[in-house]
């Protein structure tokens, strides 16, 4: 819980999750709650989760809510800035499964996000989705042949 104390002051952030289609969490989501707790103030104009099938729909929402920062969670573990070249706001990238699939590592990953923002970097490195072992590694998964 100590990791979820305010330690940064960022106004009007929003998250875009690339999960095949684009998902934009609402202001009442666990993602918005966790970010608000640490001082990354989530935009207040998203009353429900948005499921968008194309970039134009995401751009429409970005233009409507006017975030100062977009946190973009890509489909892979790699930093791929070409995925967001169409977003006309400052963007910080996270690897897949950092915010979209919360678990006990969420506070650790949010601290890495905070450090990335504070350092002016564009990609959150060393998150649990990158460092935890894969279930496809021999000896980790009981179903691996």
């Amino acid at each position: 819980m100590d990791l979820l104390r305010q330690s940064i002051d960022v106004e009007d952030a929003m998250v875009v999750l690339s999960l095949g289609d684009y998902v934009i969490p609402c202001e009442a989501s666990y993602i918005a709650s966790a970010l608000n707790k640490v001082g990354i103030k989530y935009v207040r104009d998203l009353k429900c989760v948005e499921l968008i099938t194309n970039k134009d729909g995401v751009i429409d929402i970005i233009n409507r809510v006017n975030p100062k920062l977009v946190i973009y969670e890509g489909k892979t573990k790699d930093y791929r800035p070409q995925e967001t070249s169409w977003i006309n706001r400052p963007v910080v990238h996270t690897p897949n499964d950092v915010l979209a699939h919360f678990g006990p590592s969420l506070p650790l990953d949010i601290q890495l996000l905070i450090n990335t923002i504070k350092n002016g970097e564009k990609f959150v490195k060393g998150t649990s989705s990158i460092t935890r072992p894969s279930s496809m590694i021999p000896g980790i998964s009981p179903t691996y042949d």
Side-chain angles (χ1 to χ4, degrees):
M1 292 305 296
D2 289 341
L3 295 175
L4 290 177
R5 295 184 197 276
Q6 181 163 351
S7 60
I8 194 169
D9 190 19
V10 174
E11 294 292 327
D12 298 324
M14 72 176 275
V15 171
V16 175
L17 305 169
S18 180
L19 301 172
D21 290 330
Y22 299 100
V23 175
I24 300 175
C26 67
E27 64 186 61
S29 65
Y30 74 87
I31 292 172
S33 296
L35 295 176
N36 284 328
K37 185 92 172 138
V38 298
I40 302 172
K41 310 292 187 304
Y42 205 75
V43 293
R44 303 294 299 166
D45 297 325
L46 294 169
K47 302 297 181 199
C48 63
V49 173
E50 300 276 356
L51 174 62
I52 312 297
T53 59
N54 59 56
K55 294 175 186 175
D56 290 338
V58 176
I59 290 169
D60 288 345
I61 292 174
I62 288 172
N63 288 335
R64 179 173 54 90
V65 301
N66 197 26
K68 294 180 180 150
L69 175 67
V70 174
I71 301 166
Y72 180 87
E73 186 159 299
K75 295 179 194 175
T76 70
K77 297 181 186 315
D78 300 316
Y79 176 46
R80 298 178 2 180
Q82 67 274 18
E83 285 187 34
T84 60
S85 60
W86 47 273
I87 296 177
N88 61 354
R89 301 287 192 286
V91 179
V92 171
H93 291 243
T94 67
N96 66 323
D97 295 343
V98 171
L99 298 173
H101 300 284
F102 73 93
S105 59
L106 183 64
L108 298 169
D109 289 339
I110 287 179
Q111 283 302 306
L112 294 172
L113 173 63
I114 289 168
N115 293 339
T116 299
I117 293 169
K118 284 182 176 179
N119 293 333
E121 298 169 349
K122 299 293 183 190
F123 184 67
V124 182
K125 300 173 190 151
T127 64
S128 63
S129 64
I130 292 173
T131 60
R132 71 176 166 254
S134 168
S135 61
M136 297 305 292
I137 296 173
I140 299 289
S141 174
T143 60
Y144 187 87
D145 293 323

